[in-house]
Amino acid sequence: MDAYDKGSDARHGPGAPTEPGAPTEPVPPAEPVPPAEPGPALERPPAESGRPLEPPPTEPGPPLEPGPRTGVAALSLRYQVVVAMALAVVAVGVCVHLGMMFLHVAPPNTVTREHGRAVDDWVYPEFEQNWKLFAPNPLQQNISVQVRAQVRGPDGMTLTTGWYDLSAEDGRAIDGNLLPSHTQQNELRRAWDFFVATHDGENRPVGLRGALSETYLRRIAVLRLDRDDAVRASTGGGGALERVQVRSRTSNVPPPEWSREKVSTTPSYRELPWWKVPQDEAEGGVR
């Protein structure tokens, strides 16, 4: 037996008889393949290298037009000079103010000994510095400033009013106010501190600033009383302030419940002498 003969299930190549003795079918000749027409040669992509491909050059476009000028540059030359001069004046003023404040809070030195009066005239009373906020022992007292007045009525009679608590009025204006004014917070308090710092225990002025502190505190009291509805109601709305008297009410802040410290909560008073109100202040107060 032939080694490649595997019986009736054996596979045969093309054109081979499926059975022995079967006639073979003629195989048609293969058709000739026409030759390819010559065409343009295909370009091979350049070999990849480590350098990035450079973009093709672009043609330059028309130049960009500058946008409209804004701010100071948009002004004419004359107004630019005016703005520059104004900024220079402001810069000089800021430098002078910072220098004066530095000399005021700095330790005594040659400049302050030579020009101390000029520095004080610049600082007081508007820019006076107070560092009690940073003191290791903060204030533990409540101080209220109160005032009363002698008012001359339309009939010529003089009436003495009761005590008005100006500090309490400021406290009510500040309570619940998210943006209280500087006047409500500091004007009266700073005026009283200014007076106490320039007077002795007998209310006598110490130095040249004593008279200034009295005038400052008196004018604040006159302005407050002139705006007070109770004073106008007590005089029928046509009275004029002749004299005012200021006093302070000082009471210690009670200690917390867990503290063993014992302090007196009885208030103490400091009454100042009667001050005569000048004519220009008495007629409606100072504006």
Side-chain angles (χ1 to χ4, degrees), residues 12-18 22-27:
H12 303 280
T18 57
T24 59
E25 297 180 357
V27 180

Side-chain angles (χ1 to χ4, degrees), residues 22 34 65 67 115 119-120 150 170 181 191 196 216 219 245 252 260 267 277 287:
E65 296 182 358
H115 305 284
V119 174
D120 292 342
Q150 289 183 349
D170 288 347
S181 67
V196 173
Y216 185 47
R219 289 188 175 182
Q245 185 181 25
N252 295 320
R260 298 180 179 180
V277 180
R287 294 293 184 265

Side-chain angles (χ1 to χ4, degrees), residues 186-249:
N186 299 318
E187 182 186 54
L188 184 63
R189 178 180 61 84
R190 299 294 295 120
W192 179 254
D193 291 344
F194 184 28
F195 178 86
V196 173
T198 56
H199 288 72
D200 58 13
E202 301 296 329
N203 300 322
R204 292 174 299 192
V206 177
L208 300 177
R209 299 172 59 205
L212 177 62
S213 65
E214 292 181 5
T215 303
Y216 185 47
L217 184 60
R218 186 191 70 240
R219 289 188 175 182
I220 292 176
V222 171
L223 285 174
R224 299 289 185 91
L225 291 174
D226 184 68
R227 293 195 299 259
D228 199 302
D229 295 335
V231 176
R232 291 196 297 268
S234 62
T235 59
L241 297 177
E242 289 188 337
R243 296 197 303 170
V244 294
Q245 185 181 25
V246 180
R247 74 175 183 181
S248 66
R249 181 183 184 274

Side-chain angles (χ1 to χ4, degrees), residues 31-183:
E31 298 180 357
V33 180
E37 298 179 357
L42 298 178
E43 297 181 358
R44 291 186 177 183
E48 296 182 359
S49 61
R51 294 179 302 175
L53 298 178
E54 297 181 357
T58 58
E59 298 181 358
L64 299 177
E65 296 182 358
R69 294 184 298 178
T70 59
V72 179
L75 302 176
S76 62
L77 180 59
R78 181 174 59 181
Y79 288 105
Q80 289 182 7
V81 173
V82 173
V83 172
M85 294 179 61
L87 293 177
V89 171
V90 172
V92 171
V94 171
C95 293
V96 171
H97 177 72
L98 293 178
M100 290 292 187
M101 298 306 299
F102 173 78
L103 293 175
H104 174 65
V105 301
N109 52 73
T110 305
V111 179
T112 54
R113 284 193 292 268
E114 184 70 20
H115 305 284
R117 184 176 182 85
V119 174
D120 292 342
D121 292 342
W122 180 276
V123 172
Y124 295 110
E126 288 81 4
F127 306 112
E128 182 181 2
Q129 301 296 305
N130 187 342
W131 304 106
K132 289 183 179 180
L133 176 64
F134 306 100
N137 186 20
L139 297 178
Q140 299 179 359
Q141 295 177 329
N142 289 324
I143 302 176
S144 299
V145 180
Q146 303 173 350
V147 63
R148 64 177 178 176
Q150 289 183 349
V151 185
R152 185 181 71 256
D155 54 357
M157 300 296 293
T158 301
L159 173 67
T160 302
T161 66
W163 290 101
Y164 294 93
D165 196 335
L166 303 181
S167 299
E169 293 179 0
D170 288 347
R172 287 191 295 267
I174 295 172
D175 189 18
N177 189 352
L178 296 179
L179 298 174
S181 67
H182 177 77
T183 301

